Amino acid sequence: MVCREPGVLPGSEYFIGHQDSRFDPALHPAVMLCGHYHCVAGYGIDRAYYAYGLVAYIREGVMHLTYGGKRYEAPAGSILVLDCRQYHHFWAGEHMEFIWAHFLGDTAIAMVAEIIRLYGPVLRHTGGDIINRRLENLVATYRHEQPITMAWQALRLTELIYYAYPPEHAAAPTSRSDQAVAVAIEYMKMHIDRPISVDALADSVHMSRFHFSRVFRKETGMSPYGYLIHLRFNLAKYLLKTTGYTVREVAFAVGYQSEAGFANAFTEKVGLPPGAYRESPW
C-alpha cells in the first residue's frame, strides 16, 4: 500500500498483516504491519502507547529516538527494537531509509523488552545483516501476495528477535584464531536452517579443515560440529517454548531435513522428545 504520511517519500510502501482467529494472538506472534520507508525531515512517530512490538533495520541515514526517558541515535546498520506499549518518539533528520515490522504476541514483545533491558533499543552487530534480509523477505512476501500462515509469520518474527540479540562472541576478537572462530559461528547462525559442513565452515575463514577444527576446539572447547548442534538445539528449545510451530516446522527451521531425524536427535541430546520438552516446566 502507498504511504501518505508526512515526510515519507514516493516509492515507500507498507502492508497490513493477516491473522487467523483460531489462534490466540497473545501467544502466537503475528505481523500487524510491515513496510519499507524512504523518509526526509518531517517524518516522525510520537506515541504514548501502541499495542505492538517493533523490529526495524536502518539502511541509510539516521533515526533519532526518545525512549525510556533517554535520547538515542540509530545510524545506518543499526537494529531498532521497541516495546511500543511504552512512550516512544522517533523521527528522521535528513534522508533516512528503513525496513520494519510491527508485531503482536505477548511472548515476542516480552523478548523484545528483555533485549531493551539488557542492551538498549538500538543495537549494532553482525546480526543486523540477517535481520535486514529477513525483513526484506517478509515485506516481499506481502508485496507479492504470497500465501501466509500463522506458523510462517511466527517463524519469521521469532528469527528477527533471535538475531536481534548480540552474538555470544560480542567481545572484539584479540587474535586471528579468535576472529576465525567468531566468523565461523556467525556463519553457523546465518545458515542454521541449511545443511552446514565443516569444510564449508573452514572455507568461510580460509583455513584447511584440519587446522580450522583444531583452532575451533582450542578456542571453544568443542568441535565445530558439536558447537553447531549446540546452537541448533538452543534455537529449537527456544522455538518449542515460545511459538506454536509444529515439531516438523521447528525441525526445518534448525536445519534438519526430516521431523523423525530431528526428534530422535533432540531426544538423545535433551533427554525428552520435542513435544514433551514443550510441555515441561523447564
Side-chain angles (χ1 to χ4, degrees):
M1 300 176 68
V2 176
C3 179
R4 304 192 186 280
E5 292 181 61
V8 179
L9 298 176
S12 300
E13 58 185 348
Y14 76 96
F15 302 94
I16 298 173
H18 304 297
Q19 289 183 269
D20 187 329
S21 60
R22 295 174 298 172
F23 293 86
D24 182 350
L27 300 176
H28 297 271
V31 177
M32 303 312 296
L33 293 161
C34 64
H36 181 189
Y37 280 8
H38 296 265
C39 307
V40 292
Y43 169 74
I45 297 294
D46 189 349
R47 286 186 294 228
Y49 178 87
Y50 197 50
Y52 310 131
L54 173 70
V55 176
Y57 181 80
I58 315 303
R59 289 184 161 184
E60 291 185 15
V62 178
M63 177 180 282
H64 304 276
L65 169 70
T66 299
Y67 187 84
K70 298 181 180 180
R71 290 280 300 272
Y72 300 89
E73 289 191 349
S78 297
I79 305 160
L80 178 71
V81 291
L82 294 179
D83 175 355
C84 296
R85 299 172 301 183
Q86 311 298 321
Y87 171 77
H88 53 285
H89 178 202
F90 54 85
W91 67 96
E94 301 298 330
H95 177 263
M96 179 184 71
E97 177 189 359
F98 72 110
I99 189 165
W100 54 273
H102 274 301
F103 57 90
L104 185 67
D106 288 354
T107 301
I109 296 174
M111 295 300 292
V112 163
E114 180 183 62
I115 293 172
I116 295 169
R117 178 178 63 82
L118 294 172
Y119 307 107
V122 178
L123 305 103
R124 295 199 70 180
H125 56 72
T126 52
D129 291 337
I130 305 174
I131 288 176
N132 181 36
R133 292 198 297 273
R134 295 290 198 270
L135 284 168
E136 188 173 60
N137 176 261
L138 178 69
V139 171
T141 300
Y142 279 92
R143 181 190 302 123
H144 297 301
E145 299 182 344
Q146 296 175 357
I148 296 170
T149 65
M150 287 293 289
W152 185 90
Q153 291 185 77
L155 178 58
R156 298 285 83 79
L157 290 167
T158 302
E159 286 177 336
L160 289 171
I161 297 169
Y162 175 78
Y163 285 112
Y165 278 94
E168 295 173 23
H169 289 251
T174 58
S175 68
R176 184 171 182 272
S177 295
D178 289 338
Q179 292 171 355
V181 168
V183 168
I185 289 172
E186 287 309 300
Y187 183 96
M188 292 179 190
K189 291 182 176 180
M190 289 177 66
H191 301 84
I192 201 164
D193 60 342
R194 309 173 205 170
I196 301 174
S197 68
V198 176
D199 286 333
L201 292 169
D203 287 344
S204 75
V205 295
H206 310 293
M207 290 182 176
S208 70
R209 177 190 176 108
F210 174 78
H211 182 55
F212 167 71
S213 296
R214 184 171 59 81
V215 165
F216 195 97
R217 184 179 289 277
K218 179 181 177 182
E219 296 295 330
T220 67
M222 302 173 69
S223 69
Y225 180 73
Y227 197 93
L228 175 61
I229 295 301
H230 166 75
L231 288 180
R232 282 184 164 151
F233 284 117
N234 275 355
L235 178 56
K237 289 189 284 187
Y238 174 74
L239 294 175
L240 288 167
K241 287 293 191 181
T242 63
T243 75
Y245 308 162
T246 65
V247 173
R248 183 173 184 273
E249 288 165 339
V250 172
F252 284 105
V254 300
Y256 279 82
Q257 303 305 299
S258 74
E259 179 180 345
F262 166 72
N264 290 337
F266 188 94
T267 303
E268 181 179 349
K269 181 75 173 178
V270 179
L272 289 172
Y277 177 81
R278 167 171 274 159
E279 300 301 324
S280 71
W282 57 84

